[in-house]
Amino acid sequence: MNILILIIAITAVISFVAPNGSSNFEKYKFSVGAIMNRKEYIRLLSSGFLHADIMHLVFNMMTLYFFGPIILQGFGNLGFISIYFGSILLGNLFSLFIYQRQPWYSAIGASGGVSGILFAAIAMLPTTGIYLFFIPIPIPGFIFGLIYFSYSVYMMLNPNQHDNIGHAAHLGGAFFGLVYAVATQPQAAMSNALYIGIMALPLIYLSYEIFIRKRIG
């Protein structure tokens, strides 16, 4: 059993053993109040093994299953583990930074890690086609990334809009995956620099809003 299947299996088992609403679900989900006030840092990683429902789990694990092999081939088992868990951790740390004044904020899911795997793959193969359920033709990876980042940034900057998605965790995870891919495969990254640059434009804008205008955080 390779590392990809093992992580999918472990995540599925934990998601079923600690379903939404159970005591273990509440104990290990990402919670700003619990992390900031009670120093329960395990939640930064444990929340990546919990899911709201079966569709949430299936969507995350399907994405991981389809894009994981690209990362395994390009970065090996250690690289895969580093990207996946590093992305979960950074995604949740970014969420903690953004929502530090909102102790009631909570989140769950492997989406940060999955985003890291997905965007590390796109960084290496930016023109590869990505299929979405409602679009019958493939979208080039870097175009998908641009749309994905643009929507996530828009939703983060407009808190009155609600879609029940942890965009901060997604962006933090995706950022980690991109940076890891660029740092460890600089030659491939240089050849794909234009695609990566186009895709990263919304992230640059978000950085300006957070660190220069202090709009959120």
Side-chain angles (χ1 to χ4, degrees):
M1 181 181 293
N2 65 37
I3 190 66
L4 171 60
I5 301 302
L6 183 61
I7 287 176
I8 291 174
I10 291 173
T11 303
V13 168
I14 293 176
S15 293
F16 282 109
V17 170
N20 191 355
S22 68
S23 59
N24 281 330
F25 184 92
E26 296 299 322
K27 182 178 180 180
Y28 292 109
K29 71 180 182 180
F30 176 87
S31 169
V32 171
I35 295 169
M36 297 290 288
N37 299 328
R38 301 199 298 272
K39 315 300 181 187
E40 295 177 1
Y41 300 119
I42 186 65
R43 293 173 182 263
L44 294 170
L45 283 177
S46 62
S47 59
F49 293 93
L50 304 173
H51 289 83
D53 52 43
I54 186 65
M55 290 306 299
H56 187 201
L57 172 65
V58 168
F59 182 80
N60 273 338
M61 294 302 100
M62 279 184 61
T63 305
L64 187 62
Y65 180 79
F66 286 122
F67 288 92
I70 298 174
I71 301 305
L72 285 170
Q73 182 176 358
F75 299 92
N77 286 339
L78 182 59
F80 179 89
I81 292 171
S82 298
I83 294 171
Y84 186 70
F85 289 107
S87 296
I88 290 176
L89 182 59
L90 185 63
N92 281 332
L93 285 172
F94 186 52
S95 294
L96 192 64
F97 170 73
I98 294 297
Y99 301 110
Q100 58 186 293
R101 296 185 182 91
Q102 301 177 34
W104 58 87
Y105 182 86
S106 64
I108 38 83
S111 301
V114 173
S115 294
I117 294 294
L118 172 61
F119 280 92
I122 291 175
M124 296 295 96
L125 300 169
T127 59
T128 190
I130 294 179
Y131 285 89
L132 300 177
F133 293 117
F134 51 87
I135 299 178
I137 58 173
I139 302 173
F142 77 100
I143 297 296
F144 168 82
L146 177 64
I147 296 170
Y148 181 98
F149 286 147
S150 297
Y151 177 72
S152 296
V153 168
Y154 171 80
M155 294 301 291
M156 282 188 62
L157 295 177
N158 293 274
N160 292 328
Q161 304 287 330
H162 300 289
D163 59 4
N164 204 33
I165 295 174
H167 294 289
H170 290 192
L171 288 174
F175 178 78
F176 185 89
L178 277 175
V179 169
Y180 186 97
V182 170
T184 57
Q185 301 280 353
Q187 251 185 329
M190 285 299 295
S191 65
N192 296 325
L194 177 61
Y195 299 115
I196 295 173
I198 291 172
M199 185 170 61
L201 287 174
L203 298 182
I204 297 171
Y205 176 69
L206 180 64
S207 298
Y208 167 76
E209 291 289 337
I210 293 176
F211 299 110
I212 304 299
R213 293 190 62 195
K214 307 293 183 180
R215 184 170 170 183
I216 56 179

Coordinates of all heavy atoms in Angstrom, one line a residue, residues 123-201:
A123 N 1.9 23.7 -10.5 CA 3.1 24.4 -10.7 C 4.1 23.6 -11.6 O 4.8 24.2 -12.4 CB 3.8 24.6 -9.3
M124 N 4.0 22.3 -11.6 CA 4.9 21.5 -12.4 C 4.3 21.3 -13.8 O 5.0 21.2 -14.8 CB 5.2 20.1 -11.7 CG 5.9 20.2 -10.4 SD 7.6 20.8 -10.6 CE 7.4 22.6 -10.2
L125 N 3.0 21.2 -13.9 CA 2.3 20.9 -15.1 C 1.2 21.9 -15.3 O 0.0 21.6 -15.2 CB 1.7 19.5 -15.1 CG 2.7 18.4 -15.0 CD1 2.0 17.0 -14.8 CD2 3.6 18.3 -16.2
P126 N 1.5 23.2 -15.5 CA 0.5 24.3 -15.5 C -0.5 24.3 -16.6 O -1.6 24.9 -16.5 CB 1.3 25.6 -15.6 CG 2.6 25.2 -16.3 CD 2.9 23.7 -15.8
T127 N -0.2 23.6 -17.7 CA -1.2 23.5 -18.8 C -2.0 22.2 -18.8 O -2.8 22.0 -19.7 CB -0.5 23.7 -20.2 OG1 0.5 22.6 -20.3 CG2 0.2 25.0 -20.3
T128 N -1.8 21.4 -17.9 CA -2.5 20.1 -17.8 C -4.0 20.4 -17.6 O -4.4 21.4 -16.9 CB -2.0 19.2 -16.7 OG1 -2.6 17.9 -16.8 CG2 -2.4 19.8 -15.3
G129 N -4.9 19.6 -18.2 CA -6.3 19.9 -18.2 C -6.9 19.4 -16.9 O -6.6 18.3 -16.4
I130 N -7.8 20.3 -16.3 CA -8.5 19.9 -15.1 C -10.0 20.0 -15.4 O -10.5 20.9 -16.0 CB -8.2 20.9 -14.0 CG1 -6.7 20.8 -13.6 CG2 -9.1 20.7 -12.8 CD1 -6.3 21.7 -12.5
Y131 N -10.7 18.9 -15.1 CA -12.1 18.8 -15.4 C -12.9 19.2 -14.1 O -12.6 18.7 -13.0 CB -12.5 17.3 -15.8 CG -12.1 17.0 -17.2 CD1 -10.9 16.4 -17.5 CD2 -13.0 17.2 -18.3 CE1 -10.5 16.1 -18.8 CE2 -12.6 16.9 -19.6 CZ -11.4 16.3 -19.8 OH -11.0 16.0 -21.1
L132 N -13.9 20.0 -14.3 CA -14.9 20.3 -13.2 C -16.2 19.6 -13.5 O -16.5 19.4 -14.7 CB -15.1 21.8 -13.1 CG -13.8 22.6 -12.8 CD1 -14.1 24.1 -12.8 CD2 -13.2 22.1 -11.5
F133 N -16.9 19.3 -12.5 CA -18.2 18.5 -12.7 C -19.2 19.2 -13.6 O -19.8 18.5 -14.4 CB -18.8 18.3 -11.3 CG -18.1 17.4 -10.4 CD1 -17.6 17.9 -9.2 CD2 -17.8 16.1 -10.7 CE1 -16.8 17.1 -8.4 CE2 -17.1 15.2 -9.9 CZ -16.6 15.7 -8.7
F134 N -19.2 20.5 -13.6 CA -20.2 21.2 -14.4 C -19.7 21.7 -15.7 O -20.4 22.4 -16.5 CB -20.9 22.3 -13.6 CG -19.8 23.2 -13.0 CD1 -19.3 24.3 -13.6 CD2 -19.4 22.9 -11.7 CE1 -18.4 25.1 -13.1 CE2 -18.4 23.8 -11.1 CZ -17.9 24.8 -11.8
I135 N -18.4 21.5 -16.1 CA -17.8 21.9 -17.3 C -17.3 20.7 -18.1 O -16.4 20.0 -17.6 CB -16.7 23.0 -17.1 CG1 -17.3 24.2 -16.3 CG2 -16.1 23.4 -18.4 CD1 -16.2 25.2 -16.0
P136 N -17.8 20.4 -19.3 CA -17.5 19.2 -20.0 C -16.1 19.2 -20.7 O -15.7 18.2 -21.2 CB -18.6 19.1 -21.1 CG -19.0 20.5 -21.3 CD -18.8 21.2 -20.0
I137 N -15.4 20.4 -20.7 CA -14.1 20.4 -21.3 C -13.0 20.8 -20.3 O -13.3 21.4 -19.3 CB -14.1 21.5 -22.5 CG1 -14.4 22.9 -21.9 CG2 -15.0 21.1 -23.6 CD1 -14.3 24.0 -22.9
P138 N -11.8 20.3 -20.5 CA -10.7 20.6 -19.5 C -10.3 22.0 -19.5 O -10.3 22.7 -20.5 CB -9.6 19.6 -20.0 CG -9.8 19.5 -21.4 CD -11.3 19.5 -21.6
I139 N -10.0 22.5 -18.3 CA -9.5 23.9 -18.1 C -8.0 23.8 -17.8 O -7.6 23.0 -17.0 CB -10.2 24.6 -17.0 CG1 -11.7 24.6 -17.2 CG2 -9.6 26.0 -16.7 CD1 -12.5 25.1 -16.0
P140 N -7.1 24.5 -18.6 CA -5.7 24.5 -18.2 C -5.5 24.8 -16.8 O -6.2 25.7 -16.2 CB -5.1 25.6 -19.1 CG -6.1 25.7 -20.3 CD -7.5 25.4 -19.7
G141 N -4.6 24.1 -16.2 CA -4.4 24.2 -14.7 C -4.1 25.6 -14.2 O -4.7 26.0 -13.2
F142 N -3.3 26.4 -14.9 CA -3.0 27.7 -14.5 C -4.3 28.7 -14.5 O -4.4 29.6 -13.7 CB -1.8 28.3 -15.2 CG -2.1 28.9 -16.6 CD1 -2.3 30.2 -16.8 CD2 -2.2 28.0 -17.6 CE1 -2.6 30.7 -18.1 CE2 -2.4 28.4 -18.9 CZ -2.6 29.8 -19.1
I143 N -5.2 28.4 -15.5 CA -6.4 29.2 -15.6 C -7.3 28.8 -14.4 O -7.9 29.6 -13.8 CB -7.1 28.9 -16.9 CG1 -6.2 29.5 -18.1 CG2 -8.5 29.6 -16.9 CD1 -6.0 30.9 -18.1
F144 N -7.4 27.5 -14.2 CA -8.2 27.0 -13.0 C -7.6 27.7 -11.7 O -8.4 28.1 -10.9 CB -8.1 25.5 -12.9 CG -8.6 25.0 -11.6 CD1 -9.9 24.8 -11.4 CD2 -7.7 24.7 -10.5 CE1 -10.4 24.3 -10.1 CE2 -8.2 24.2 -9.3 CZ -9.5 24.0 -9.1
G145 N -6.3 27.7 -11.6 CA -5.7 28.3 -10.4 C -6.0 29.8 -10.3 O -6.3 30.3 -9.2
L146 N -6.0 30.5 -11.4 CA -6.3 31.9 -11.4 C -7.7 32.1 -10.9 O -8.0 33.0 -10.1 CB -6.1 32.5 -12.8 CG -6.4 34.0 -12.9 CD1 -5.6 34.9 -12.1 CD2 -6.3 34.4 -14.4
I147 N -8.7 31.3 -11.4 CA -10.1 31.5 -11.1 C -10.3 31.1 -9.6 O -11.0 31.8 -8.8 CB -10.9 30.6 -12.0 CG1 -10.9 31.1 -13.4 CG2 -12.4 30.6 -11.5 CD1 -11.5 30.1 -14.4
Y148 N -9.6 30.0 -9.2 CA -9.7 29.5 -7.8 C -9.2 30.5 -6.8 O -9.9 30.9 -5.8 CB -8.9 28.2 -7.7 CG -8.8 27.5 -6.4 CD1 -9.7 26.4 -6.1 CD2 -8.0 27.9 -5.4 CE1 -9.6 25.8 -4.9 CE2 -7.9 27.3 -4.2 CZ -8.7 26.2 -3.9 OH -8.7 25.6 -2.7
F149 N -8.0 31.1 -7.1 CA -7.4 32.1 -6.2 C -8.3 33.4 -6.2 O -8.5 34.0 -5.1 CB -6.0 32.4 -6.6 CG -5.0 31.3 -6.3 CD1 -3.9 31.1 -7.1 CD2 -5.2 30.6 -5.1 CE1 -3.0 30.1 -6.7 CE2 -4.3 29.6 -4.8 CZ -3.2 29.3 -5.6
S150 N -8.7 33.8 -7.4 CA -9.5 35.0 -7.4 C -10.8 34.9 -6.6 O -11.2 35.8 -5.9 CB -9.9 35.3 -8.9 OG -8.7 35.5 -9.7
Y151 N -11.5 33.8 -6.7 CA -12.7 33.6 -6.0 C -12.4 33.5 -4.5 O -13.1 34.2 -3.7 CB -13.4 32.3 -6.4 CG -14.7 32.0 -5.6 CD1 -15.8 32.7 -5.8 CD2 -14.7 31.0 -4.7 CE1 -17.0 32.5 -5.0 CE2 -15.8 30.7 -3.9 CZ -17.0 31.4 -4.1 OH -18.1 31.2 -3.4
S152 N -11.4 32.8 -4.1 CA -11.1 32.7 -2.7 C -10.7 34.0 -2.1 O -11.1 34.3 -0.9 CB -9.9 31.7 -2.5 OG -10.3 30.4 -2.9
V153 N -9.9 34.8 -2.8 CA -9.5 36.1 -2.3 C -10.7 37.0 -2.2 O -10.9 37.7 -1.2 CB -8.4 36.7 -3.2 CG1 -8.2 38.2 -2.9 CG2 -7.1 36.0 -3.1
Y154 N -11.6 37.0 -3.2 CA -12.8 37.8 -3.1 C -13.6 37.5 -1.9 O -14.1 38.4 -1.2 CB -13.6 37.6 -4.4 CG -15.0 38.2 -4.3 CD1 -15.1 39.6 -4.6 CD2 -16.1 37.5 -4.0 CE1 -16.4 40.2 -4.5 CE2 -17.4 38.1 -3.9 CZ -17.5 39.4 -4.2 OH -18.7 40.1 -4.1
M155 N -13.8 36.2 -1.6 CA -14.6 35.8 -0.5 C -14.0 36.2 0.8 O -14.7 36.5 1.8 CB -14.9 34.3 -0.6 CG -15.7 33.8 -1.7 SD -17.4 34.6 -1.8 CE -18.2 33.8 -0.4
M156 N -12.7 36.1 0.9 CA -12.0 36.5 2.1 C -12.1 38.0 2.4 O -12.2 38.4 3.5 CB -10.5 36.1 2.1 CG -10.3 34.6 2.3 SD -8.5 34.3 2.5 CE -8.1 35.3 3.9
L157 N -12.1 38.8 1.3 CA -12.1 40.2 1.5 C -13.5 40.7 1.6 O -13.7 41.9 1.8 CB -11.4 40.9 0.3 CG -9.9 40.6 0.2 CD1 -9.4 41.2 -1.1 CD2 -9.2 41.1 1.4
N158 N -14.5 39.9 1.4 CA -15.9 40.3 1.6 C -16.6 39.3 2.6 O -17.3 38.4 2.2 CB -16.6 40.2 0.2 CG -16.1 41.2 -0.8 OD1 -16.5 42.4 -0.8 ND2 -15.1 40.9 -1.6
P159 N -16.3 39.6 3.9 CA -16.8 38.6 4.9 C -18.3 38.5 5.0 O -18.8 37.6 5.6 CB -16.2 39.2 6.2 CG -16.0 40.6 5.9 CD -15.6 40.7 4.4
N160 N -19.1 39.4 4.4 CA -20.5 39.3 4.4 C -21.0 38.3 3.4 O -22.2 37.9 3.5 CB -21.2 40.7 4.0 CG -20.9 41.7 5.1 OD1 -20.8 41.4 6.3 ND2 -20.8 43.0 4.8
Q161 N -20.2 37.8 2.5 CA -20.5 36.8 1.6 C -20.2 35.4 2.3 O -19.1 35.2 2.9 CB -19.7 36.8 0.3 CG -19.8 38.2 -0.4 CD -21.1 38.3 -1.1 OE1 -21.7 37.3 -1.5 NE2 -21.6 39.6 -1.2
H162 N -21.1 34.5 2.3 CA -21.0 33.2 3.0 C -21.2 32.1 2.0 O -22.2 32.0 1.3 CB -21.9 33.1 4.2 CG -21.8 34.2 5.2 ND1 -20.7 34.3 6.0 CD2 -22.6 35.3 5.5 CE1 -20.9 35.3 6.8 NE2 -22.0 36.0 6.5
D163 N -20.2 31.1 2.0 CA -20.4 29.9 1.2 C -20.0 28.7 2.0 O -19.8 27.6 1.5 CB -19.6 30.0 -0.1 CG -18.1 30.2 0.1 OD1 -17.7 30.2 1.3 OD2 -17.4 30.3 -0.9
N164 N -19.7 28.9 3.4 CA -19.3 27.8 4.3 C -18.0 27.1 3.8 O -17.9 25.8 4.1 CB -20.5 26.8 4.4 CG -20.5 26.0 5.7 OD1 -20.0 26.5 6.7 ND2 -20.9 24.8 5.6
I165 N -17.1 27.8 3.2 CA -15.8 27.2 2.8 C -14.7 28.0 3.5 O -14.7 29.2 3.6 CB -15.7 27.3 1.3 CG1 -16.7 26.5 0.5 CG2 -14.3 26.9 0.8 CD1 -16.7 26.6 -1.0
G166 N -13.7 27.2 4.0 CA -12.6 27.8 4.7 C -11.5 28.3 3.7 O -10.5 27.6 3.5
H167 N -11.8 29.4 3.1 CA -10.9 29.9 2.0 C -9.5 30.2 2.5 O -8.5 30.0 1.8 CB -11.5 31.2 1.4 CG -12.8 30.9 0.7 ND1 -12.8 30.2 -0.5 CD2 -14.0 31.2 1.0 CE1 -14.1 30.2 -0.9 NE2 -14.8 30.7 -0.1
A168 N -9.3 30.6 3.7 CA -8.0 30.9 4.3 C -7.1 29.6 4.3 O -6.0 29.7 3.9 CB -8.1 31.5 5.7
A169 N -7.7 28.6 4.8 CA -7.0 27.3 4.8 C -6.7 26.8 3.4 O -5.6 26.3 3.2 CB -7.9 26.2 5.5
H170 N -7.6 27.0 2.5 CA -7.3 26.6 1.1 C -6.1 27.4 0.5 O -5.2 26.8 -0.1 CB -8.5 26.9 0.2 CG -9.7 25.9 0.5 ND1 -10.8 25.8 -0.3 CD2 -9.9 25.0 1.5 CE1 -11.6 24.9 0.2 NE2 -11.1 24.4 1.3
L171 N -6.2 28.7 0.7 CA -5.1 29.6 0.2 C -3.8 29.3 0.8 O -2.7 29.3 0.2 CB -5.5 31.0 0.4 CG -6.6 31.6 -0.5 CD1 -7.0 33.0 -0.2 CD2 -6.2 31.5 -2.0
G172 N -3.8 29.1 2.2 CA -2.5 28.8 2.9 C -1.9 27.5 2.4 O -0.7 27.4 2.2
G173 N -2.8 26.5 2.2 CA -2.3 25.2 1.8 C -1.8 25.3 0.3 O -0.7 24.7 0.0
A174 N -2.6 25.9 -0.5 CA -2.1 26.1 -1.9 C -0.8 26.8 -2.0 O 0.1 26.5 -2.8 CB -3.2 26.8 -2.7
F175 N -0.7 27.9 -1.2 CA 0.6 28.6 -1.2 C 1.8 27.8 -0.8 O 2.8 27.8 -1.5 CB 0.5 29.8 -0.3 CG 1.7 30.7 -0.1 CD1 2.0 31.6 -1.1 CD2 2.5 30.5 1.0 CE1 3.2 32.3 -1.0 CE2 3.7 31.3 1.1 CZ 4.0 32.2 0.1
F176 N 1.6 26.9 0.2 CA 2.7 26.0 0.6 C 3.0 25.1 -0.5 O 4.2 24.9 -0.8 CB 2.3 25.2 1.9 CG 3.4 24.4 2.4 CD1 4.3 24.9 3.3 CD2 3.6 23.1 2.0 CE1 5.3 24.1 3.8 CE2 4.6 22.3 2.4 CZ 5.5 22.8 3.4
G177 N 2.0 24.5 -1.2 CA 2.3 23.6 -2.3 C 3.1 24.3 -3.4 O 4.0 23.7 -4.0
L178 N 2.7 25.5 -3.8 CA 3.4 26.2 -4.8 C 4.8 26.5 -4.4 O 5.7 26.3 -5.2 CB 2.6 27.6 -5.1 CG 1.4 27.5 -6.0 CD1 0.8 28.9 -6.0 CD2 1.8 27.1 -7.4
V179 N 5.0 27.0 -3.2 CA 6.4 27.4 -2.8 C 7.3 26.2 -2.7 O 8.4 26.2 -3.1 CB 6.3 28.1 -1.4 CG1 7.7 28.3 -0.9 CG2 5.6 29.5 -1.6
Y180 N 6.7 25.1 -2.2 CA 7.5 23.8 -2.1 C 7.9 23.4 -3.5 O 9.1 23.0 -3.7 CB 6.7 22.7 -1.4 CG 7.5 21.5 -1.1 CD1 8.1 21.3 0.2 CD2 7.7 20.5 -2.1 CE1 8.8 20.2 0.4 CE2 8.4 19.4 -1.8 CZ 9.0 19.2 -0.6 OH 9.8 18.1 -0.3
A181 N 7.0 23.4 -4.4 CA 7.3 22.9 -5.8 C 8.4 23.8 -6.4 O 9.3 23.3 -7.0 CB 6.1 22.9 -6.6
V182 N 8.2 25.1 -6.3 CA 9.2 26.1 -6.8 C 10.6 25.9 -6.2 O 11.6 25.9 -6.9 CB 8.7 27.5 -6.7 CG1 9.8 28.5 -7.1 CG2 7.4 27.7 -7.6
A183 N 10.6 25.8 -4.9 CA 11.8 25.7 -4.1 C 12.6 24.4 -4.4 O 13.9 24.4 -4.4 CB 11.6 25.8 -2.6
T184 N 11.9 23.3 -4.6 CA 12.6 22.0 -4.8 C 12.8 21.6 -6.2 O 13.6 20.7 -6.5 CB 11.8 20.9 -4.1 OG1 10.4 20.9 -4.6 CG2 11.7 21.1 -2.6
Q185 N 12.0 22.3 -7.1 CA 12.2 22.0 -8.6 C 12.3 23.3 -9.3 O 11.5 23.7 -10.1 CB 11.0 21.3 -9.1 CG 10.7 19.9 -8.4 CD 11.6 18.8 -9.0 OE1 12.3 19.0 -9.9 NE2 11.5 17.7 -8.4
P186 N 13.4 24.1 -9.0 CA 13.6 25.5 -9.6 C 13.6 25.5 -11.1 O 13.2 26.4 -11.7 CB 14.8 26.0 -8.9 CG 15.6 24.7 -8.5 CD 14.5 23.7 -8.1
Q187 N 14.2 24.5 -11.7 CA 14.4 24.5 -13.1 C 13.0 24.4 -13.8 O 12.7 25.2 -14.7 CB 15.2 23.3 -13.6 CG 16.6 23.8 -14.1 CD 17.4 22.6 -14.7 OE1 17.2 21.5 -14.3 NE2 18.2 22.9 -15.7
A188 N 12.2 23.5 -13.3 CA 10.8 23.3 -13.9 C 10.0 24.6 -13.6 O 9.2 25.0 -14.4 CB 10.1 22.1 -13.3
A189 N 10.2 25.1 -12.4 CA 9.5 26.4 -12.0 C 9.9 27.5 -12.9 O 9.0 28.3 -13.3 CB 9.7 26.7 -10.6
M190 N 11.1 27.6 -13.3 CA 11.6 28.7 -14.1 C 10.9 28.6 -15.5 O 10.5 29.6 -16.1 CB 13.1 28.7 -14.2 CG 13.8 29.3 -13.0 SD 13.3 31.0 -12.7 CE 14.0 31.8 -14.1
S191 N 10.8 27.4 -16.0 CA 10.3 27.2 -17.3 C 8.8 27.5 -17.3 O 8.2 27.7 -18.4 CB 10.5 25.8 -17.8 OG 9.9 24.8 -17.0
N192 N 8.1 27.4 -16.2 CA 6.7 27.6 -16.0 C 6.4 28.9 -15.3 O 5.3 29.2 -14.9 CB 6.1 26.5 -15.2 CG 6.1 25.2 -16.0 OD1 6.1 25.1 -17.2 ND2 6.3 24.1 -15.2
A193 N 7.4 29.8 -15.3 CA 7.3 31.1 -14.5 C 6.1 31.9 -14.9 O 5.5 32.5 -14.1 CB 8.6 31.9 -14.5
L194 N 5.9 32.1 -16.2 CA 4.8 32.9 -16.7 C 3.5 32.4 -16.2 O 2.6 33.2 -15.7 CB 4.8 33.0 -18.2 CG 3.7 33.8 -18.9 CD1 3.8 35.2 -18.4 CD2 3.8 33.7 -20.4
Y195 N 3.3 31.1 -16.3 CA 2.0 30.5 -15.9 C 1.8 30.7 -14.4 O 0.7 31.0 -13.9 CB 2.0 29.0 -16.2 CG 2.0 28.7 -17.7 CD1 3.1 28.0 -18.2 CD2 1.0 29.1 -18.6 CE1 3.2 27.7 -19.6 CE2 1.1 28.8 -19.9 CZ 2.2 28.2 -20.4 OH 2.3 27.9 -21.8
I196 N 2.9 30.4 -13.6 CA 2.8 30.5 -12.2 C 2.5 32.0 -11.8 O 1.8 32.3 -10.9 CB 4.1 30.0 -11.5 CG1 4.2 28.5 -11.8 CG2 4.1 30.3 -10.0 CD1 5.6 27.9 -11.3
G197 N 3.2 32.9 -12.5 CA 3.0 34.3 -12.2 C 1.6 34.8 -12.4 O 1.0 35.5 -11.6
I198 N 1.0 34.4 -13.5 CA -0.4 34.7 -13.8 C -1.3 34.1 -12.8 O -2.2 34.8 -12.2 CB -0.8 34.2 -15.2 CG1 0.0 34.9 -16.3 CG2 -2.3 34.3 -15.4 CD1 -0.2 34.3 -17.7
M199 N -1.1 32.9 -12.4 CA -1.9 32.2 -11.4 C -1.8 32.9 -10.0 O -2.8 32.9 -9.3 CB -1.5 30.8 -11.3 CG -2.4 29.9 -10.4 SD -2.0 28.1 -10.6 CE -0.2 28.1 -10.1
A200 N -0.6 33.4 -9.7 CA -0.4 34.0 -8.4 C -0.9 35.4 -8.2 O -0.8 36.0 -7.1 CB 1.1 33.9 -8.0
L201 N -1.3 36.1 -9.3 CA -1.7 37.5 -9.2 C -2.7 37.8 -8.0 O -2.5 38.7 -7.3 CB -2.3 38.0 -10.5 CG -1.3 38.2 -11.7 CD1 -2.0 38.5 -13.0 CD2 -0.3 39.3 -11.3

